[in-house]
Amino acid sequence: FCLMAVPGKVAAFRLPPLPTVGEIIKLFRLKAQKQLSQNFLLDLRLTDKIVRQAGELKNAHVCEVGPGPGGITRSILSAGVEQLLLIEKDARFIPGLQMLSEAAPGKVRIVHGDILTYNMEKAFPKHLKKNWDDEPPDIHIIGNLPFSVSTPLIIKWLENVSKKDGPFIYGRTQMTLTFQKEVGERLTANPGAKQRSRLSIMSQHLCTVENCFVIPGQAFVPKPEVDVAVVHFTPLVQPKIEQPFELVEKVVRSVFQFRRKYCFRGIETLFPEDGRLKRTEQLMMTANVDPTLRPFQLSMSHFRNLCNTYRKMCDEDPSLFVYNYREELRQKKKTHNLLRSTSQSQLTEEEDQL
């Protein structure tokens, strides 16, 4: 990572007159790259509105992910933050961000790097740490994320929440992030909603998730084909499912594997073929889950019961947790192909002999 920092602190200030975000884009010839699913937000009224969803930022420490040409960055600085850490993967944006850094001396630190690999455990001063049971620390993560990175990144951060590491080593750090509207709907979907998915359970069992508002696609440059949702996350003091992240994810992923079928069909994939039916019935009966419900109809308590019961079954038979349904399918296909090619070669030999 290439670090550029301006040390020291200054009193509350107002940003001096600067080129507009649009002028910055022209000045540095910045063009959104389609392969990186980049979309710029130039309307400062909207960037201000996004930043307001984060809560009170006066004297707070903020990490902005993927600031790009710096629209949201200006709104964060105008909110009177103490320190702002910018993590930008695309080197083309660094000069424009440095211009903002110079306009706010002592407040901005720029990291040229990838948020998926950046070590967030050292991103903020140690004195900001709070106990998990306390109110959230004065730390916020804000980002208008490229669509290609938003889902893997939120899954990574949810795992961090579960383990209380990464940016959550400081306590229940709050996040305000943008997603495709459809992903935002999945994150907040209730039982019975057609958008209910793996993402709904994984996020809601660990965080309070609020779909704040929707930004129409035409507000961005270039205009994406979809609208954009602004979503706010506050980690819960007590997760709704008290099991390791990997176990919860395995159960939830299995249930939603066949989302249009009865949930029984997905839950079956947790078990090897030998004894599958008996074990599936045992799990569903103990967890008190109706096998004819569809995956999207299951409540959080259904998932809690399934995870707790599956954990007991794994404790009794540790080979269960490492079992992989897809791997078993691959092996069966491989064996089937091998047998078919063997029988074909035997047939060819017999024909040759004849």
Side-chain angles (χ1 to χ4, degrees):
F1 296 109
C2 162
L3 250 69
M4 287 147 285
V6 184
K9 292 181 182 178
V10 291
F13 76 111
R14 189 182 293 274
L15 278 175
L18 286 165
T20 65
V21 180
E23 285 166 350
I24 293 276
I25 289 169
K26 284 178 188 168
L27 181 65
F28 295 105
R29 295 178 181 175
L30 302 173
K31 193 177 177 185
Q33 295 196 350
K34 198 171 183 182
Q35 66 268 33
L36 297 178
S37 59
Q38 291 175 337
N39 304 96
F40 305 149
L41 191 54
L42 309 185
D43 187 336
L44 292 183
R45 287 170 303 176
L46 283 172
T47 59
D48 285 347
K49 193 175 177 185
I50 291 171
V51 169
R52 280 199 297 273
Q53 302 306 316
E56 179 54 63
L57 294 187
K58 191 163 178 57
N59 301 325
H61 287 246
V62 177
C63 171
E64 186 189 354
V65 185
I72 293 177
T73 314
R74 294 176 186 225
S75 295
I76 296 171
L77 287 169
S78 297
V81 297
E82 177 75 15
Q83 284 284 309
L84 174 57
L85 168 64
L86 303 175
I87 301 176
E88 179 53 66
K89 185 179 180 181
D90 192 333
R92 297 174 307 141
F93 296 120
I94 301 296
L97 296 173
Q98 280 179 317
M99 188 184 284
L100 274 174
S101 173
E102 287 157 16
K107 287 193 175 284
V108 180
R109 182 157 57 101
I110 303 168
V111 171
H112 176 210
D114 188 341
I115 187 61
L116 287 167
T117 55
Y118 180 68
N119 182 6
M120 292 286 284
E121 296 194 356
K122 295 178 181 176
F124 305 103
K126 287 181 183 175
H127 71 82
L128 294 171
K129 281 189 180 182
K130 292 271 190 85
N131 292 323
W132 198 258
D133 296 353
D134 294 341
E135 286 298 302
D138 217 1
I139 295 172
H140 296 262
I141 297 172
I142 299 175
N144 173 28
L145 304 171
F147 296 151
S148 58
V149 81
S150 58
T151 304
L153 185 57
I154 196 58
I155 288 291
K156 172 183 155 68
W157 277 340
L158 288 170
E159 184 171 2
N160 290 145
V161 170
S162 174
K163 296 175 179 176
K164 298 176 185 171
D165 60 12
F168 307 97
I169 203 165
Y170 300 92
R172 296 185 297 119
T173 301
Q174 297 177 80
M175 302 181 284
T176 308
L177 307 166
T178 61
F179 298 88
Q180 286 185 51
K181 184 185 171 192
E182 182 190 327
V183 177
E185 287 169 348
R186 280 188 218 153
L187 285 161
T188 54
N190 293 317
K194 63 178 182 180
Q195 297 93 343
R196 185 85 160 169
S197 67
R198 175 178 76 114
L199 217 45
S200 318
I201 311 304
M202 296 312 294
S203 57
Q204 291 170 34
H205 107 83
L206 290 163
C207 297
T208 300
V209 191
E210 301 166 73
N211 201 334
C212 303
F213 67 98
V214 172
I215 305 173
Q218 62 257 33
F220 292 85
V221 178
K223 176 181 175 290
E225 293 173 9
V226 293
D227 293 337
V228 173
V230 177
V231 184
H232 183 76
F233 300 82
T234 307
L236 294 163
V237 172
Q238 209 69 27
K240 290 180 181 169
I241 303 171
E242 296 269 10
Q243 293 297 346
F245 184 85
E246 292 82 2
L247 184 140
V248 178
E249 191 179 37
K250 185 179 183 186
V251 171
V252 174
R253 191 174 58 238
S254 298
V255 170
F256 280 101
Q257 192 152 241
F258 303 100
R259 60 175 295 114
R260 295 178 186 280
K261 300 190 175 179
Y262 293 143
C263 63
F264 184 94
R265 180 69 190 89
I267 290 167
E268 277 186 321
T269 65
L270 287 167
F271 304 106
E273 196 169 22
D274 185 28
R276 177 174 287 159
L277 188 63
K278 187 181 175 187
R279 278 172 146 174
T280 306
E281 286 174 346
Q282 180 194 341
L283 171 58
M284 301 206 71
M285 200 175 292
T286 310
N288 195 25
V289 174
D290 179 350
T292 63
L293 288 173
R294 311 281 177 186
F296 61 87
Q297 293 176 306
L298 297 186
S299 67
M300 192 62 77
S301 60
H302 285 135
F303 279 102
R304 185 190 304 119
N305 293 349
L306 286 169
C307 290
N308 291 343
T309 308
Y310 180 65
R311 171 67 184 268
K312 284 178 188 166
M313 295 172 86
C314 289
D315 288 344
E316 289 165 13
D317 178 5
S319 69
L320 256 190
F321 187 67
V322 294
Y323 166 71
N324 185 315
Y325 173 73
R326 289 177 184 273
E327 187 55 38
E328 186 181 71
L329 279 185
R330 272 195 293 271
Q331 290 300 331
K332 278 175 78 174
K333 193 174 179 182
K334 198 174 173 183
T335 307
H336 174 74
N337 290 341
L338 194 65
L339 287 170
R340 196 168 67 176
S341 63
T342 305
S343 63
Q344 279 176 343
S345 63
Q346 284 173 348
L347 198 64
T348 308
E349 278 178 32
E350 287 171 15
E351 284 172 349
D352 288 346
Q353 286 169 0
L354 282 168

